[in-house]
Amino acid sequence: MSEVRNAVQKLYNTYPFPPDPLLDEPPPGYNWRWHYQSAYNFCKGKKPHKPQVRILDAGCGTGSSTEYLVLHNPTADILAVDISENALATAQKRLEKSGVLKDFQGNIEFRQFNLERARELEGSFDFINSVGVLHHLPNPVVGIQALADKLADDGLFHIFVYGELGRWEILLMQRAIALIQGDKIGDYRDGVAVGRELFAGLPESSRILQREKERWALENQRDECFADMYVHPNEFDYNIDSLFEFINTSGLEFVDFSNCDFWQIERLIKSEDLRERVKQLTIQERYRLIELLDPSNVTHYEFFLAKPPLNRETWQDDQLLLTAKPELNPCMLGWESKSLLDYNYQPITLNDQEFEVMKLASGNPQRNLTVKDILSQVNCTLDEVRSLLRRQLIMMG
Ligand SMILES: C[S@@+](CC[C@H](N)C(=O)[O-])C[C@H]1O[C@@H](n2cnc3c(N)ncnc32)[C@H](O)[C@@H]1O
């Protein structure tokens, strides 16, 4: 087991990941998955009330995610762990150089630590982020269980793992490189050189080359990305069925995919008749159907888990909704305009009523306005307010 871990550590010490450049300024925009309030609202349907949160970035790599965690959660207590000392050194440099620590009032610690031993960490965490890590452990179940045990009662766990259907060509190339490398397997620089030479000679008709060109070539200009993709010593790829088996071992509840628009069957099935039949399927079967119909786009799964029972607020109760106090989702760009980018950077246009509701909500929490107060000033229905909630434009405080 530890041989695999050592090999993974060596890869990321040779090629720390991600190789995002170190900037003299904070990273651009936002990433709602790493904004605790926004992520909590997505998962639980309302704004969290805990003033002080603890966050664990499990397998932080060179700190691109940690930097957003610092930026978006200015009073949080953040622990970022990784087994690669070189990745951690870059992560620390990244945060120092960009200046995000200047306005940060919380606490941040980087630590070289094997996340499989997470139970040894003190206390619990309100938010655990583990992106691109669990599938590289000798046994991912050990990792997900160790982290799940550290989740606070109302906590959220954000995970990203690979999907086998969209990575089929990658797997073939990994095997081809390993065959040629023979007893040089584990020499990652050699692996990158072999891989690049192979790609340079493949005929245009090669499916592996075509996939590389259409999907990955831009990021793979960097050797760190190429190595992470094609010469990795340990990778588990999932499909929907094995993913849910994996999730079930954690004892946590699946909340939703964080790229949930992708997982809408309406995207792929136009016939009303077939859509009706699909409604008979379980949610897991529906997801399976989506990946069977759109396999090449399932390169990964990104999703939230939470401790059961989930208790997601749906705001179907009119009385409850009328007394709730809406605020704007902090993740959006272009406010105060009717045309803006939402939490997912999708362009949206608000109608006049929606705009007026949001303008009043933007005064909260200071003005303490309820939905009832707002609807006494704007000609808008409760369902229109629910639509703003569903689209993550407002959240209830
Ligand atoms: C693909 S990188 C992802 C980095 C970062 N999470 C991101 O998405 O940008 C995987 C990271 O997981 C780390 N890692 C692998 N096994 C680990 C373990 N057992 N404990 C802690 N970190 C680990 C690696 O060193 C590497 O930095």
Side-chain angles (χ1 to χ4, degrees):
M1 285 293 209
S2 67
E3 248 176 60
V4 172
R5 197 177 313 108
N6 289 343
V8 171
Q9 183 184 26
K10 183 180 165 195
L11 171 75
Y12 289 112
N13 273 338
T14 313
Y15 291 116
F17 189 93
D20 300 346
L22 306 188
L23 303 177
D24 287 325
E25 57 189 7
Y30 45 83
N31 188 323
W32 71 271
R33 292 160 184 79
W34 296 323
H35 193 300
Y36 175 69
Q37 282 191 355
S38 207
Y40 187 97
N41 180 57
F42 177 85
C43 293
K44 307 248 171 165
K46 59 188 176 206
K47 189 182 161 186
H49 281 292
K50 214 168 176 181
Q52 198 56 38
V53 288
R54 286 194 80 210
I55 297 177
L56 174 65
D57 199 2
C60 63
T62 64
S64 293
S65 52
T66 324
E67 191 175 35
Y68 276 104
L69 287 168
V70 164
L71 189 67
H72 291 333
N73 306 284
T75 60
D77 184 2
I78 303 175
L79 174 62
V81 302
D82 202 285
I83 47 167
S84 159
E85 57 271 30
N86 290 353
L88 283 166
T90 304
Q92 256 157 314
K93 250 184 252 155
R94 179 187 305 285
L95 269 66
E96 278 157 23
K97 196 158 188 286
S98 73
V100 288
L101 297 175
K102 238 180 16 237
D103 299 322
F104 184 59
Q105 297 149 35
N107 188 47
I108 168 87
E109 183 195 345
F110 287 99
R111 196 187 297 178
Q112 188 175 16
F113 183 79
N114 171 12
L115 68 80
E116 294 158 278
R117 294 169 50 186
R119 290 185 187 89
E120 294 168 23
L121 297 172
E122 220 177 276
S124 58
F125 295 89
D126 303 292
F127 185 69
I128 299 179
N129 179 60
S130 197
V131 168
V133 184
L134 293 175
H135 49 222
H136 293 317
L137 300 185
N139 180 355
V141 171
V142 170
I144 200 172
Q145 289 181 340
L147 292 174
D149 273 8
K150 296 310 288 182
L151 199 62
D153 275 346
D154 196 26
L156 303 176
F157 188 179
H158 181 237
I159 297 180
F160 171 116
V161 287
Y162 288 147
E164 66 181 15
L165 296 176
R167 291 180 64 85
W168 176 238
E169 292 84 358
I170 294 172
L171 182 81
L172 298 180
M173 191 57 160
Q174 285 173 351
R175 294 200 174 149
I177 293 171
L179 259 181
I180 294 179
Q181 275 201 287
D183 59 8
K184 287 197 91 176
I185 284 182
D187 178 340
Y188 300 116
R189 293 190 192 282
D190 178 68
V192 168
V194 169
R196 292 222 184 268
E197 234 178 304
L198 273 178
F199 270 124
L202 281 175
E204 283 302 319
S205 60
S206 155
R207 179 169 141 191
I208 297 176
L209 180 65
Q210 281 169 8
R211 180 70 168 163
E212 165 68 16
K213 278 189 170 171
E214 75 181 30
R215 187 76 185 226
W216 309 114
L218 198 63
E219 62 188 85
N220 281 345
Q221 285 173 7
R222 312 290 301 257
D223 282 350
E224 291 87 347
C225 294
F226 190 94
D228 186 55
M229 186 165 287
Y230 291 116
V231 299
H232 209 290
N234 189 47
E235 166 179 329
F236 287 84
D237 295 339
Y238 294 87
N239 59 47
I240 280 293
D241 292 334
S242 58
L243 180 76
F244 277 83
E245 271 172 37
F246 177 53
I247 290 171
N248 287 340
T249 66
S250 72
L252 300 176
E253 206 167 313
F254 176 81
V255 181
D256 207 339
F257 289 108
S258 53
N259 58 342
C260 57
D261 290 348
F262 177 85
W263 295 98
Q264 305 303 319
I265 193 70
E266 294 73 21
R267 210 170 54 74
L268 299 165
I269 296 185
K270 298 294 167 225
S271 145
E272 284 303 329
D273 185 36
L274 289 183
R275 282 186 184 181
E276 277 308 307
R277 291 173 69 170
V278 166
K279 283 189 187 149
Q280 310 306 316
L281 302 180
T282 65
I283 187 84
Q284 188 178 323
E285 286 169 335
R286 243 177 285 166
Y287 290 147
R288 179 68 179 150
L289 183 60
I290 290 167
E291 72 173 6
L292 291 172
L293 294 173
D294 192 9
S296 58
N297 282 318
V298 185
T299 55
H300 71 271
Y301 303 96
E302 49 179 275
F303 53 95
F304 286 99
L305 303 181
K307 278 231 170 125
L310 182 56
N311 294 332
R312 194 179 201 173
E313 183 53 66
T314 59
W315 302 105
Q316 287 313 304
D317 179 333
D318 287 359
Q319 284 317 309
L320 193 68
L321 184 56
L322 283 167
T323 54
K325 294 168 184 164
E327 295 174 29
L328 297 194
N329 190 327
C331 294
M332 66 175 72
L333 206 66
W335 181 257
E336 181 182 308
S337 155
K338 284 184 187 163
S339 295
L340 43 87
L341 298 179
D342 72 2
Y343 73 127
N344 267 329
Y345 289 96
Q346 294 306 307
I348 55 148
T349 302
L350 301 166
N351 64 32
D352 291 347
Q353 285 88 343
E354 289 171 339
F355 184 61
E356 290 308 317
V357 169
M358 284 187 52
K359 245 164 77 175
L360 290 167
S362 71
N364 278 347
Q366 290 77 12
R367 291 188 64 198
N368 219 17
L369 294 177
T370 62
V371 170
K372 192 172 176 188
D373 296 331
I374 291 175
L375 295 195
S376 70
Q377 299 179 51
V378 183
N379 183 17
C380 179
T381 66
L382 281 179
D383 277 344
E384 284 168 314
V385 174
R386 289 189 181 102
S387 159
L388 290 172
L389 276 169
R390 196 169 15 81
R391 290 180 281 155
Q392 309 288 317
L393 291 164
I394 56 173
M395 55 192 195
M396 293 308 181

